[in-house]
Structures are given as C-alpha cells and as structure tokens.
Amino acid sequence: MESRVIANDVVLRGDVGYEDPVPVRVETGEVQGRAVVTGQVPEVGATLDAASVALEVAGRPVIVLPGDLPTYRTLRAGVSGPDVRQLKAALAALGINGGDPSTDDYDDAAAAGVRALYQRVGYEAPSATDDLAAAVKSAQEGVTSAEEALASARRELDTAKAGPAASRLRELDSAVTVARIAVEDAQAVCNAPTEDQPCDRAALARAQGDLDVALLTRDEADNPADTTALAAAVTSAAARLTEAKADLSTAKQATLTPLPASEVVFMAALPRRVDDVTVTRGGTVEGAVMSVSGATLEIVGSAAKTDADLLTVGATGTILLDDQEIPVSITAIAPEEAAAEGSDGGTGGDGSGDQQAKASGRFAVTFSPRR
C-alpha cells in the first residue's frame, strides 16, 4: 500500500495583459480659452493611483480619485448628490477629512478637504470668481450699514426713554420764571397806569401767552415720551441687519473652494496602468487623452470543459514567462462566450454559463500573479 497525493496537471496556453482597458476623458467645458496640455503627460506603462496627476491642462492639474461615477459637473457650494458623496469617500480613502461621507451636500468640510487635496498634489486650490468676491464685499458693506442704522435707532430710543436731561429742565424752569416776571410787570403797569407808562393790554396778552407756552412745555417735559414709533424703528433696523447677515453668509458660502469638473477624473479599481497616451504637451484636449487598464497583470487561457472541471477559483499554479516560472492563482473561470460578454466570472448562477459551455465546450481561465 502506498500513500501519496493524486493530482492532475493542467497545462494551458494564455495571453498576458492587463484587465479592464478604458479610455480617460477630461471635461473641458469650463476651461477658460483653449484646453491646451501644458505638462504632466504620463509615459506608457506609468501607474496612476489615488491623488496622482494624470495630466496638466491650461496650467491646472487633472487629479485622479477613486470612484465609479464619472465626472459630469463642477462641485461647489449648494450642490448635492451621489457625486458629492463619492468625493467625500475618495478624500476619506486618502486620509483627508472631507466631512461626513454619508451626506451628499458640498459644505465647508468638503471644500476644506478639496483644499487639502490640492495642497497634497502641489497645486494652488481653485478660488472663487471675481464676481463672487465682489458680492461678498458688497454684502459686508450692507451688514456694516445695517449695524450703524440699528445703533442710531437704539440711541434715539434710549434718549427718549431717559427723558430730558437736568440741564434741559433748568432751562425750562428759567423760561417759566422769565415769562411770569414779564406778565407781573405788564399787569403792574395796567394796575397803576401813568402818563409816562400807560397800560398796554396787547403787551400783557403777549406776555401771558409766552407764560402759557413755557408752562405747557415744562409740564410736557415731566410726562413720559411716547416711544412707540422709535421702538418700531429699532425693530425694523434689527430685521434689516438680520437680512444683511444672511445675505453675507450666502455670499461667503458661494465662495467656498470648488472642485472644477475639468480638474478631476474618477477611476474604479485603482491603481491603473497607462496603456496609451493620445495627447502631447502643447496639444489641445479633444476626446480621450489616454487609455488605462488595471495595473495588475493577468493571464487569460482557454481550457476544454474536461480540464476546466478540474480547476477551481483560488487554485494555485505557475506560468512560464520568458523562461521564468511565476506563481499564479486562478481568479475566474467562465464560459468563453460569457467572458466575452463581460459576465461576472461565475460558473453556476442561473445555469446560462453551463449552457454556453456546452455549446462551445471551452472556458476562459483567468490567472493573476501571487505576491
């Protein structure tokens, strides 16, 4: 009796390549002037990873970030959606705080994360336009004016509530005294008129009128002032200040650091290998700028069904490449028709793979190098 491992060796021929080749396009609709390539043109075979600069267009970087959703708009204050959530997740993957990744609002934290991203790649972060900066200045002036108006209205109300000052009351008392003396003098003349000083009834009446006015003015000074109109003016001024501050907040919000659509590309399954570059420095961006594939080498071989039945995903082996043996493991086994149509690489599922296998009798077996 002999104890040993019973094994079958399966030998296949395969093609070496990289997975998932895709074209890379840059959104240039918001680029001022011509979208001229000014630098950072990668070489074929270069690797693009998260926070890499894939290209420089019009002096600005095109930053690579991880994500499945392609870039379709500029992210700025006030926008929300799945692309914002994707940005926050990409920043978090880089160790940059871009705010709560479960929310989809482009807020202060997201803008701060974008500034940190640009600092990492060595470029100045995008800034607000001159029009937005002017709007902030105008809104600030509006707040200052509203603050001054409110302070003035409050001073007038406080003065009215406090009543006349002591010096004013002394002036009014003195005016009453002077007016009373004038009435007494005119009355004395009329009580004992002489040829040199006849009674002047008109002068007496004027003196009495002046006294009545002086007494009325003094009495009014003792009564509390009606401050209804002044209080309403304070309320109105406070409301205007609140509106001015809200306008300033909105204007400042609009100046949050944006992420231009022309300065970012999202790629799934980073890192990626540059397979082809279709632009040169000094050229204009038109269409795809490069083609990239998965950075992981893969080998795809074709096996008959009898051999495929002996293989399982995860099984290990070796490939001979340039007279060198490289350890590999199987990452997918799929009927060749299903593989060509972009199936998920399974061998069971709803049975369609088995039907196709029976039709062709061959399977695509994908290997990846083991680390």
Side-chain angles (χ1 to χ4, degrees):
M1 181 180 292
E2 180 182 3
S3 175
R4 62 187 177 88
V5 176
I6 298 177
N8 286 322
D9 290 333
V10 178
V11 180
L12 305 175
R13 296 180 64 85
D15 296 322
V16 179
Y18 293 88
E19 57 183 352
D20 302 330
V22 293
V24 176
R25 291 180 170 82
V26 178
E27 294 293 332
T28 58
E30 296 185 10
V31 175
Q32 298 293 328
R34 294 172 57 221
V36 177
V37 177
T38 52
Q40 300 279 25
V41 181
E43 296 181 355
V44 172
T47 298
L48 298 179
D49 208 339
S52 296
V53 176
L55 203 64
E56 184 184 273
V57 179
R60 300 296 301 167
V62 179
I63 304 172
V64 177
L65 290 178
D68 297 322
L69 187 64
T71 304
Y72 63 92
R73 63 174 176 174
T74 291
L75 299 182
R76 54 169 57 92
V79 306
S80 59
D83 51 347
V84 177
R85 190 181 293 112
Q86 175 176 262
L87 168 66
K88 291 183 177 182
L91 293 175
L94 290 169
I96 297 174
N97 181 15
D100 185 356
S102 66
T103 63
D104 61 1
D105 294 325
Y106 193 89
D107 50 17
D108 291 345
V114 169
R115 289 195 295 274
L117 173 64
Y118 275 84
Q119 184 177 13
R120 179 172 296 189
V121 301
Y123 282 81
E124 184 178 350
S127 58
T129 64
D130 292 341
D131 290 344
L132 292 177
V136 171
K137 182 179 180 181
S138 177
Q140 183 63 66
E141 292 173 351
V143 169
T144 301
S145 177
E147 288 174 340
E148 293 174 351
L150 178 58
S152 177
R154 284 175 173 168
R155 284 196 299 269
E156 292 182 8
L157 177 60
D158 292 342
T159 300
K161 287 181 177 180
S167 59
R168 174 59 176 164
L169 294 178
R170 287 195 297 270
E171 291 177 1
L172 295 177
D173 288 338
S174 177
V176 170
T177 299
V178 172
R180 183 174 283 115
I181 292 174
V183 170
E184 291 174 353
D185 290 345
Q187 187 63 55
V189 172
C190 288
N191 290 340
T194 63
E195 186 176 349
D196 293 334
Q197 283 187 320
C199 177
D200 188 346
R201 296 294 177 182
L204 177 59
R206 288 194 299 272
Q208 186 61 52
D210 292 342
L211 176 60
D212 292 342
V213 171
L215 290 171
L216 180 60
T217 302
R218 182 62 181 82
D219 290 342
E220 289 178 347
D222 290 333
N223 296 328
D226 183 2
T227 59
T228 303
L230 294 176
V234 170
T235 301
S236 178
R240 287 196 296 271
L241 177 58
T242 299
E243 293 175 358
K245 287 183 176 180
D247 292 341
L248 177 59
S249 177
T250 300
K252 285 184 175 180
Q253 190 76 6
T255 62
L256 290 180
T257 302
L259 179 59
S262 60
E263 298 185 15
V264 63
V265 291
F266 286 93
M267 297 183 186
L270 292 174
R272 290 279 184 167
R273 177 184 183 276
V274 178
D275 294 332
D276 184 37
V277 180
T278 57
V279 294
T280 58
R281 187 181 183 192
T284 302
V285 175
E286 295 178 358
V289 296
M290 66 185 71
S291 174
V292 299
S293 63
T296 303
L297 189 72
E298 68 175 15
I299 304 92
V300 180
S302 178
K305 185 177 186 304
T306 53
D307 288 334
D309 289 341
L310 301 174
L311 303 174
T312 59
V313 173
T316 60
T318 60
I319 64 168
L320 186 62
L321 183 63
D322 295 333
D323 297 327
Q324 181 181 4
E325 286 193 352
I326 300 174
V328 295
S329 60
I330 298 175
T331 57
I333 303 173
E336 288 190 345
E337 289 82 355
E341 294 173 3
S343 72
D344 60 6
T347 58
D350 60 3
S352 61
D354 289 339
Q355 295 174 1
Q356 291 171 334
K358 292 177 181 179
S360 68
R362 302 201 67 80
F363 284 73
V365 182
T366 304
F367 302 85
S368 291
R370 285 184 287 148
R371 297 183 181 277

